[in-house]
Amino acid sequence: MTLESLPAQASGTFDLGGDLTVNRLGYGSMQLTGAGVWGPPKDEAEAIRVLRRTVELGVNFIDTADSYGPAVAEPLIAKALKPYADDLVIATKGGLTRSGPNEWPPVGRPEYLRQQTEMSLRWLGLERIDLYQLHRIDEKVPLEDQVGELKKLQDEGKIRHIGLSEVSVEQLEQAQKVATIVSVQNLFNLTDRSSEKLLDYATEHGIGFIPWFPLATGSLAAEGSPLAEIAEKKQATPAQLALAWLLKRSPVMLPIPGTSTVAHLEDNMHGAEIELSDAEFAELNAIA
Ligand SMILES: NC(=O)c1ccc[n+]([C@@H]2O[C@H](COP(=O)([O-])OP(=O)(O)OC[C@H]3O[C@@H](n4cnc5c(N)ncnc54)[C@H](OP(=O)(O)O)[C@@H]3O)[C@@H](O)[C@H]2O)c1
């Protein structure tokens, strides 16, 4: 396989923070944990195969978090991919605690964010985290203190770039007074465009926009998908169309579809190779 033929490369590149080039179609590692994003994967060997296959398919942007498992996805990434390829960017997050399956209470106290950055460095086996995202703003703690601690960690060389997750334009602007924010990660897909205002702001300012649930947790990809008919016409799969639509929506869009299987990963990555005409894009746009 030549370098040119790696499917994720067909998504084009984006320079995170102006100096960290990634292929726009990445991979999200949340599905590699147990049910409710709690505990180990049901099939660890397949999880390792998925991670190794991402890189073989041209992915060099992997999203994770300390809270996936917790402490499951990050050590798995290290186990599967170390020694890391020079161009691999691992984006992690901190600021959510775990009290059980599907429970995610935010804790944004500076000492906790510092501890979790240290834990992520250890679990990932890194000396510096390329992109550290505040997973949620903790309303009990001033935003300035949360982003301020990440800025301190950046000044100490433990974090390269800072990102935010689930924020409004106003919160992003507030955070930007404390540190340079290079990316935002909000829920966004064909059927949930509630973060459109933030996306437009990110596009205008060259800030990476990482849409989570890009496949609407699988409902856009599964049987009965609202994209099934258009996909058949286009000789693509619904998952590929959902990702191609995102990639065409904005040049700062960095989708991170999640999956626990190599078969679905391969399906998704070929979405980068689908070219949508303006008419096809408009037809997809009309699906709310
Ligand atoms: N910042 C945040 O607060 C936040 C919140 C949620 C998620 N995230 C990040 O966003 C990433 C993406 O979200 P997500 O993984 O929850 O949702 P998603 O990417 O929208 O969808 C994943 C679901 O779709 C299924 N799927 C994937 N590819 C498929 C295909 N080709 N055909 C059929 N089904 C397919 C997966 O099942 P299989 O495993 O069976 O493939 C899984 O159930 C996460 O991995 C995580 O990194 C961030």
Side-chain angles (χ1 to χ4, degrees), residues 167-173 184 186-188 192-205 209 249 252:
V167 289
S168 64
V169 169
E170 293 68 31
Q171 287 168 323
L172 169 58
E173 285 183 328
V184 288
N186 273 36
L187 171 56
F188 190 80
D192 186 336
R193 305 182 207 167
S194 48
S195 284
E196 203 132 49
K197 209 172 136 200
L198 183 73
L199 169 60
D200 291 340
Y201 183 97
T203 306
E204 191 189 328
H205 292 86
F209 185 94
R249 174 64 181 78
V252 305

mmCIF file of all heavy atoms in Angstrom, residues 167-173 184 186-188 192-205 209 249 252:
data_model
loop_
_atom_site.group_PDB
_atom_site.id
_atom_site.type_symbol
_atom_site.label_atom_id
_atom_site.label_comp_id
_atom_site.label_asym_id
_atom_site.label_seq_id
_atom_site.Cartn_x
_atom_site.Cartn_y
_atom_site.Cartn_z
ATOM 1 N N VAL A 167 -18.855 23.662 24.808
ATOM 2 C CA VAL A 167 -18.845 25.068 25.217
ATOM 3 C C VAL A 167 -19.691 25.918 24.264
ATOM 4 O O VAL A 167 -19.986 25.496 23.146
ATOM 5 C CB VAL A 167 -17.401 25.647 25.241
ATOM 6 C CG1 VAL A 167 -16.611 25.053 26.388
ATOM 7 C CG2 VAL A 167 -16.688 25.452 23.913
ATOM 8 N N SER A 168 -20.028 27.092 24.733
ATOM 9 C CA SER A 168 -20.704 28.082 23.889
ATOM 10 C C SER A 168 -19.643 29.034 23.337
ATOM 11 O O SER A 168 -18.503 29.039 23.808
ATOM 12 C CB SER A 168 -21.713 28.870 24.733
ATOM 13 O OG SER A 168 -20.999 29.599 25.732
ATOM 14 N N VAL A 169 -20.054 29.843 22.372
ATOM 15 C CA VAL A 169 -19.131 30.856 21.825
ATOM 16 C C VAL A 169 -18.664 31.780 22.955
ATOM 17 O O VAL A 169 -17.481 32.124 23.049
ATOM 18 C CB VAL A 169 -19.832 31.667 20.703
ATOM 19 C CG1 VAL A 169 -19.003 32.880 20.309
ATOM 20 C CG2 VAL A 169 -20.102 30.783 19.489
ATOM 21 N N GLU A 170 -19.584 32.132 23.851
ATOM 22 C CA GLU A 170 -19.237 33.055 24.945
ATOM 23 C C GLU A 170 -18.184 32.424 25.860
ATOM 24 O O GLU A 170 -17.228 33.085 26.276
ATOM 25 C CB GLU A 170 -20.495 33.399 25.770
ATOM 26 C CG GLU A 170 -21.548 34.211 25.019
ATOM 27 C CD GLU A 170 -22.256 33.454 23.877
ATOM 28 O OE1 GLU A 170 -22.406 32.214 23.978
ATOM 29 O OE2 GLU A 170 -22.629 34.095 22.877
ATOM 30 N N GLN A 171 -18.346 31.139 26.180
ATOM 31 C CA GLN A 171 -17.359 30.468 27.041
ATOM 32 C C GLN A 171 -16.007 30.355 26.334
ATOM 33 O O GLN A 171 -14.959 30.512 26.958
ATOM 34 C CB GLN A 171 -17.864 29.073 27.434
ATOM 35 C CG GLN A 171 -18.997 29.135 28.454
ATOM 36 C CD GLN A 171 -19.682 27.795 28.635
ATOM 37 O OE1 GLN A 171 -19.867 27.036 27.687
ATOM 38 N NE2 GLN A 171 -20.063 27.490 29.866
ATOM 39 N N LEU A 172 -16.053 30.092 25.033
ATOM 40 C CA LEU A 172 -14.798 30.016 24.267
ATOM 41 C C LEU A 172 -14.080 31.365 24.315
ATOM 42 O O LEU A 172 -12.873 31.438 24.574
ATOM 43 C CB LEU A 172 -15.107 29.596 22.818
ATOM 44 C CG LEU A 172 -13.975 29.705 21.800
ATOM 45 C CD1 LEU A 172 -12.758 28.880 22.222
ATOM 46 C CD2 LEU A 172 -14.448 29.239 20.414
ATOM 47 N N GLU A 173 -14.835 32.441 24.115
ATOM 48 C CA GLU A 173 -14.207 33.771 24.136
ATOM 49 C C GLU A 173 -13.641 34.097 25.517
ATOM 50 O O GLU A 173 -12.566 34.686 25.638
ATOM 51 C CB GLU A 173 -15.232 34.832 23.698
ATOM 52 C CG GLU A 173 -15.469 34.773 22.188
ATOM 53 C CD GLU A 173 -16.420 35.848 21.689
ATOM 54 O OE1 GLU A 173 -17.334 36.237 22.450
ATOM 55 O OE2 GLU A 173 -16.248 36.280 20.524
ATOM 56 N N VAL A 184 -12.266 23.037 19.685
ATOM 57 C CA VAL A 184 -13.459 22.823 20.516
ATOM 58 C C VAL A 184 -14.066 21.494 20.082
ATOM 59 O O VAL A 184 -13.963 21.093 18.920
ATOM 60 C CB VAL A 184 -14.487 23.966 20.366
ATOM 61 C CG1 VAL A 184 -13.991 25.226 21.052
ATOM 62 C CG2 VAL A 184 -14.803 24.252 18.906
ATOM 63 N N ASN A 186 -17.681 19.599 20.359
ATOM 64 C CA ASN A 186 -19.098 19.625 20.750
ATOM 65 C C ASN A 186 -19.872 18.560 19.992
ATOM 66 O O ASN A 186 -19.436 18.111 18.923
ATOM 67 C CB ASN A 186 -19.720 20.995 20.416
ATOM 68 C CG ASN A 186 -19.533 22.018 21.521
ATOM 69 O OD1 ASN A 186 -18.494 22.044 22.182
ATOM 70 N ND2 ASN A 186 -20.524 22.878 21.718
ATOM 71 N N LEU A 187 -21.018 18.176 20.534
ATOM 72 C CA LEU A 187 -21.904 17.246 19.834
ATOM 73 C C LEU A 187 -22.354 17.873 18.517
ATOM 74 O O LEU A 187 -22.867 19.003 18.501
ATOM 75 C CB LEU A 187 -23.117 16.955 20.732
ATOM 76 C CG LEU A 187 -24.302 16.179 20.143
ATOM 77 C CD1 LEU A 187 -23.884 14.846 19.559
ATOM 78 C CD2 LEU A 187 -25.358 15.958 21.205
ATOM 79 N N PHE A 188 -22.128 17.156 17.413
ATOM 80 C CA PHE A 188 -22.549 17.688 16.111
ATOM 81 C C PHE A 188 -22.593 16.555 15.093
ATOM 82 O O PHE A 188 -21.653 15.767 14.978
ATOM 83 C CB PHE A 188 -21.563 18.769 15.622
ATOM 84 C CG PHE A 188 -22.048 19.534 14.411
ATOM 85 C CD1 PHE A 188 -22.959 20.569 14.557
ATOM 86 C CD2 PHE A 188 -21.610 19.210 13.137
ATOM 87 C CE1 PHE A 188 -23.427 21.260 13.444
ATOM 88 C CE2 PHE A 188 -22.062 19.902 12.023
ATOM 89 C CZ PHE A 188 -22.973 20.939 12.173
ATOM 90 N N ASP A 192 -28.087 16.448 14.430
ATOM 91 C CA ASP A 192 -28.034 17.349 15.592
ATOM 92 C C ASP A 192 -27.025 18.453 15.297
ATOM 93 O O ASP A 192 -25.823 18.261 15.398
ATOM 94 C CB ASP A 192 -27.638 16.603 16.870
ATOM 95 C CG ASP A 192 -27.736 17.522 18.093
ATOM 96 O OD1 ASP A 192 -27.649 18.763 17.922
ATOM 97 O OD2 ASP A 192 -27.899 16.999 19.211
ATOM 98 N N ARG A 193 -27.580 19.589 14.894
ATOM 99 C CA ARG A 193 -26.699 20.701 14.514
ATOM 100 C C ARG A 193 -26.822 21.846 15.512
ATOM 101 O O ARG A 193 -26.672 23.015 15.164
ATOM 102 C CB ARG A 193 -27.040 21.179 13.103
ATOM 103 C CG ARG A 193 -26.991 20.023 12.099
ATOM 104 C CD ARG A 193 -27.279 20.458 10.688
ATOM 105 N NE ARG A 193 -27.830 19.341 9.930
ATOM 106 C CZ ARG A 193 -28.416 19.453 8.755
ATOM 107 N NH1 ARG A 193 -28.531 20.637 8.186
ATOM 108 N NH2 ARG A 193 -28.888 18.387 8.139
ATOM 109 N N SER A 194 -27.086 21.494 16.769
ATOM 110 C CA SER A 194 -27.326 22.535 17.776
ATOM 111 C C SER A 194 -26.079 23.384 18.049
ATOM 112 O O SER A 194 -26.194 24.469 18.604
ATOM 113 C CB SER A 194 -27.863 21.909 19.068
ATOM 114 O OG SER A 194 -27.074 20.814 19.443
ATOM 115 N N SER A 195 -24.904 22.891 17.666
ATOM 116 C CA SER A 195 -23.678 23.675 17.900
ATOM 117 C C SER A 195 -23.222 24.429 16.646
ATOM 118 O O SER A 195 -22.042 24.750 16.497
ATOM 119 C CB SER A 195 -22.559 22.763 18.393
ATOM 120 O OG SER A 195 -22.770 22.431 19.746
ATOM 121 N N GLU A 196 -24.164 24.707 15.759
ATOM 122 C CA GLU A 196 -23.803 25.355 14.491
ATOM 123 C C GLU A 196 -23.144 26.731 14.690
ATOM 124 O O GLU A 196 -22.213 27.099 13.977
ATOM 125 C CB GLU A 196 -25.059 25.497 13.624
ATOM 126 C CG GLU A 196 -24.767 25.625 12.158
ATOM 127 C CD GLU A 196 -25.639 24.690 11.319
ATOM 128 O OE1 GLU A 196 -26.868 24.687 11.542
ATOM 129 O OE2 GLU A 196 -25.088 23.969 10.465
ATOM 130 N N LYS A 197 -23.620 27.468 15.699
ATOM 131 C CA LYS A 197 -23.069 28.804 15.952
ATOM 132 C C LYS A 197 -21.577 28.696 16.331
ATOM 133 O O LYS A 197 -20.746 29.463 15.864
ATOM 134 C CB LYS A 197 -23.867 29.450 17.102
ATOM 135 C CG LYS A 197 -23.920 30.937 17.039
ATOM 136 C CD LYS A 197 -24.889 31.485 18.088
ATOM 137 C CE LYS A 197 -24.259 32.671 18.771
ATOM 138 N NZ LYS A 197 -24.853 32.978 20.067
ATOM 139 N N LEU A 198 -21.275 27.718 17.164
ATOM 140 C CA LEU A 198 -19.880 27.505 17.562
ATOM 141 C C LEU A 198 -19.043 27.052 16.360
ATOM 142 O O LEU A 198 -17.908 27.493 16.172
ATOM 143 C CB LEU A 198 -19.801 26.462 18.681
ATOM 144 C CG LEU A 198 -18.388 26.222 19.218
ATOM 145 C CD1 LEU A 198 -17.917 27.399 20.076
ATOM 146 C CD2 LEU A 198 -18.306 24.923 20.024
ATOM 147 N N LEU A 199 -19.632 26.189 15.537
ATOM 148 C CA LEU A 199 -18.914 25.718 14.344
ATOM 149 C C LEU A 199 -18.585 26.896 13.429
ATOM 150 O O LEU A 199 -17.453 27.016 12.929
ATOM 151 C CB LEU A 199 -19.768 24.677 13.594
ATOM 152 C CG LEU A 199 -19.265 24.289 12.202
ATOM 153 C CD1 LEU A 199 -17.864 23.674 12.255
ATOM 154 C CD2 LEU A 199 -20.229 23.320 11.523
ATOM 155 N N ASP A 200 -19.542 27.781 13.221
ATOM 156 C CA ASP A 200 -19.296 28.929 12.337
ATOM 157 C C ASP A 200 -18.203 29.829 12.924
ATOM 158 O O ASP A 200 -17.342 30.332 12.205
ATOM 159 C CB ASP A 200 -20.594 29.701 12.085
ATOM 160 C CG ASP A 200 -21.563 28.885 11.231
ATOM 161 O OD1 ASP A 200 -21.103 27.939 10.554
ATOM 162 O OD2 ASP A 200 -22.781 29.171 11.254
ATOM 163 N N TYR A 201 -18.234 29.996 14.235
ATOM 164 C CA TYR A 201 -17.202 30.808 14.903
ATOM 165 C C TYR A 201 -15.826 30.140 14.713
ATOM 166 O O TYR A 201 -14.839 30.800 14.375
ATOM 167 C CB TYR A 201 -17.541 30.930 16.392
ATOM 168 C CG TYR A 201 -16.582 31.801 17.185
ATOM 169 C CD1 TYR A 201 -16.893 33.136 17.447
ATOM 170 C CD2 TYR A 201 -15.373 31.294 17.669
ATOM 171 C CE1 TYR A 201 -16.012 33.938 18.168
ATOM 172 C CE2 TYR A 201 -14.500 32.087 18.388
ATOM 173 C CZ TYR A 201 -14.831 33.410 18.641
ATOM 174 O OH TYR A 201 -13.962 34.200 19.357
ATOM 175 N N ALA A 202 -15.778 28.820 14.933
ATOM 176 C CA ALA A 202 -14.510 28.086 14.803
ATOM 177 C C ALA A 202 -13.985 28.183 13.369
ATOM 178 O O ALA A 202 -12.789 28.389 13.139
ATOM 179 C CB ALA A 202 -14.706 26.629 15.210
ATOM 180 N N THR A 203 -14.893 28.069 12.407
ATOM 181 C CA THR A 203 -14.500 28.134 10.997
ATOM 182 C C THR A 203 -13.897 29.510 10.691
ATOM 183 O O THR A 203 -12.846 29.626 10.074
ATOM 184 C CB THR A 203 -15.731 27.875 10.088
ATOM 185 O OG1 THR A 203 -16.325 26.641 10.485
ATOM 186 C CG2 THR A 203 -15.332 27.799 8.623
ATOM 187 N N GLU A 204 -14.575 30.535 11.188
ATOM 188 C CA GLU A 204 -14.123 31.908 10.927
ATOM 189 C C GLU A 204 -12.746 32.179 11.545
ATOM 190 O O GLU A 204 -11.923 32.892 10.982
ATOM 191 C CB GLU A 204 -15.171 32.874 11.498
ATOM 192 C CG GLU A 204 -14.979 34.307 11.066
ATOM 193 C CD GLU A 204 -15.922 35.243 11.841
ATOM 194 O OE1 GLU A 204 -17.042 34.802 12.185
ATOM 195 O OE2 GLU A 204 -15.521 36.389 12.092
ATOM 196 N N HIS A 205 -12.491 31.568 12.714
ATOM 197 C CA HIS A 205 -11.253 31.855 13.437
ATOM 198 C C HIS A 205 -10.181 30.775 13.277
ATOM 199 O O HIS A 205 -9.145 30.826 13.950
ATOM 200 C CB HIS A 205 -11.562 32.065 14.925
ATOM 201 C CG HIS A 205 -12.351 33.318 15.183
ATOM 202 N ND1 HIS A 205 -13.729 33.360 15.117
ATOM 203 C CD2 HIS A 205 -11.954 34.578 15.466
ATOM 204 C CE1 HIS A 205 -14.145 34.586 15.361
ATOM 205 N NE2 HIS A 205 -13.087 35.355 15.572
ATOM 206 N N PHE A 209 -12.678 22.125 14.945
ATOM 207 C CA PHE A 209 -13.996 21.750 15.491
ATOM 208 C C PHE A 209 -14.093 20.225 15.419
ATOM 209 O O PHE A 209 -14.109 19.642 14.332
ATOM 210 C CB PHE A 209 -15.129 22.405 14.700
ATOM 211 C CG PHE A 209 -16.497 22.144 15.293
ATOM 212 C CD1 PHE A 209 -17.070 23.046 16.181
ATOM 213 C CD2 PHE A 209 -17.204 20.985 14.980
ATOM 214 C CE1 PHE A 209 -18.323 22.805 16.752
ATOM 215 C CE2 PHE A 209 -18.454 20.732 15.548
ATOM 216 C CZ PHE A 209 -19.023 21.640 16.433
ATOM 217 N N ARG A 249 -18.675 20.161 5.299
ATOM 218 C CA ARG A 249 -19.369 21.258 5.989
ATOM 219 C C ARG A 249 -18.416 22.393 6.367
ATOM 220 O O ARG A 249 -18.779 23.565 6.357
ATOM 221 C CB ARG A 249 -20.109 20.699 7.218
ATOM 222 C CG ARG A 249 -20.772 21.704 8.121
ATOM 223 C CD ARG A 249 -21.894 22.460 7.446
ATOM 224 N NE ARG A 249 -22.487 23.433 8.341
ATOM 225 C CZ ARG A 249 -21.957 24.621 8.637
ATOM 226 N NH1 ARG A 249 -20.814 24.983 8.090
ATOM 227 N NH2 ARG A 249 -22.564 25.444 9.466
ATOM 228 N N VAL A 252 -12.466 23.252 9.014
ATOM 229 C CA VAL A 252 -11.891 23.044 10.359
ATOM 230 C C VAL A 252 -12.505 21.806 11.031
ATOM 231 O O VAL A 252 -12.209 21.511 12.183
ATOM 232 C CB VAL A 252 -12.062 24.287 11.283
ATOM 233 C CG1 VAL A 252 -11.472 25.516 10.628
ATOM 234 C CG2 VAL A 252 -13.521 24.520 11.669
#
